């Protein structure tokens, strides 16, 4: 089921919110392509895009956390590293399943991605609504302090 962006997902940073929306769009595209029987090659490209954008987003988020001296930065970065490692492992598993299917002459396989999609959707919404939400009050204080210094 596609993820719907909701205002309660906003962490109060335009940059991070736009990143989260883009990650949701990529996941939703991946899901739609899977359900529509897209080729392994097309799914491979969108999975690569997801991995690349995830790494870029994590780098931006961590840079912002450092700028505002976010006290949970270390723990949050460890969660990011674990997710990147999991994505790489999932990609290897997906690649092995894909190669086995291709060896049988199969060019697309919805079931190959179903579990992966479920895990990714759950992880992303949980990460935004629980882990990234802890960042929100710190971002707000930083923005308020910056606004006060402009006065």
């Amino acid at each position: 089921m596609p993820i719907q962006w909701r205002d309660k997902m906003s962490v109060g940073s335009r940059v991070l919110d736009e990143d989260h929306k883009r990650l949701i769009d990529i996941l939703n595209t991946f899901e739609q392509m899977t359900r529509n029987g897209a080729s392994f090659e097309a799914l491979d490209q969108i999975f690569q895009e997801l991995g690349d954008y995830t790494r870029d987003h994590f780098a931006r988020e961590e840079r912002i956390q450092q700028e505002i001296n976010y006290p949970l930065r270390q723990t949050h970065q460890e969660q990011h590293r674990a997710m990147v490692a999991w994505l790489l492992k999932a990609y290897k598993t997906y690649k092995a399943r894909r190669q086995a299917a291709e060896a049988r002459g199969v060019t697309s396989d919805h079931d190959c991605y179903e579990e992966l999609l479920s895990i990714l959707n759950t992880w992303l919404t949980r990460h935004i609504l629980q882990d990234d939400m802890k960042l929100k009050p710190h971002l707000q204080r930083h923005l308020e302090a910056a606004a006060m210094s402009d006065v």
Side-chain angles (χ1 to χ4, degrees), residues 4-11 17 21 129 133 136:
Q4 297 290 324
W5 173 263
R6 298 175 306 277
D7 288 341
K8 74 177 188 172
M9 297 171 100
S10 173
V11 296
D17 287 345
K21 289 175 186 177
L129 292 173
M133 243 356 107
K136 189 173 187 170

Side-chain angles (χ1 to χ4, degrees), residues 58 79-92:
F58 286 168
Q79 292 170 341
H80 287 172
R81 302 293 169 266
M83 183 58 188
V84 168
W86 183 87
L87 271 173
L88 291 172
K89 182 180 174 191
Y91 182 72
K92 288 178 184 177

Side-chain angles (χ1 to χ4, degrees), residues 66-110:
Q66 185 170 355
E67 288 172 11
I68 67 170
N69 282 327
Y70 181 53
L72 301 175
R73 184 175 75 231
Q74 185 68 31
T75 301
H76 204 95
Q77 287 177 352
E78 289 169 9
Q79 292 170 341
H80 287 172
R81 302 293 169 266
M83 183 58 188
V84 168
W86 183 87
L87 271 173
L88 291 172
K89 182 180 174 191
Y91 182 72
K92 288 178 184 177
T93 300
Y94 145 78
K95 194 89 166 178
R97 288 180 75 178
R98 170 188 165 183
Q99 289 170 341
E102 286 177 326
R104 295 188 316 270
V106 176
T107 58
S108 96
D109 182 359
H110 166 75

Side-chain angles (χ1 to χ4, degrees), residues 24-121:
I24 288 169
D25 286 345
I26 294 169
L27 270 179
N28 287 343
T29 298
F30 189 60
E31 180 175 7
Q32 182 180 20
M33 290 172 69
T34 299
R35 295 195 188 286
N36 292 335
S39 69
F40 285 131
E41 185 176 316
L43 289 168
D44 192 39
Q45 289 175 348
I46 196 76
F47 194 81
Q48 286 289 97
E49 181 182 352
L50 175 64
D52 292 344
Y53 200 86
T54 297
R55 280 190 295 276
D56 292 346
H57 163 66
F58 286 168
R60 275 188 289 278
E61 191 170 271
E62 290 171 10
R63 199 168 34 253
I64 289 170
Q65 290 175 354
Q66 185 170 355
E67 288 172 11
I68 67 170
N69 282 327
Y70 181 53
L72 301 175
R73 184 175 75 231
Q74 185 68 31
T75 301
H76 204 95
Q77 287 177 352
E78 289 169 9
Q79 292 170 341
H80 287 172
R81 302 293 169 266
M83 183 58 188
V84 168
W86 183 87
L87 271 173
L88 291 172
K89 182 180 174 191
Y91 182 72
K92 288 178 184 177
T93 300
Y94 145 78
K95 194 89 166 178
R97 288 180 75 178
R98 170 188 165 183
Q99 289 170 341
E102 286 177 326
R104 295 188 316 270
V106 176
T107 58
S108 96
D109 182 359
H110 166 75
D111 294 334
C112 188
Y113 306 99
E114 195 64 34
E115 182 180 355
L116 176 63
L117 280 167
S118 175
I119 292 168
L120 287 170
N121 284 345

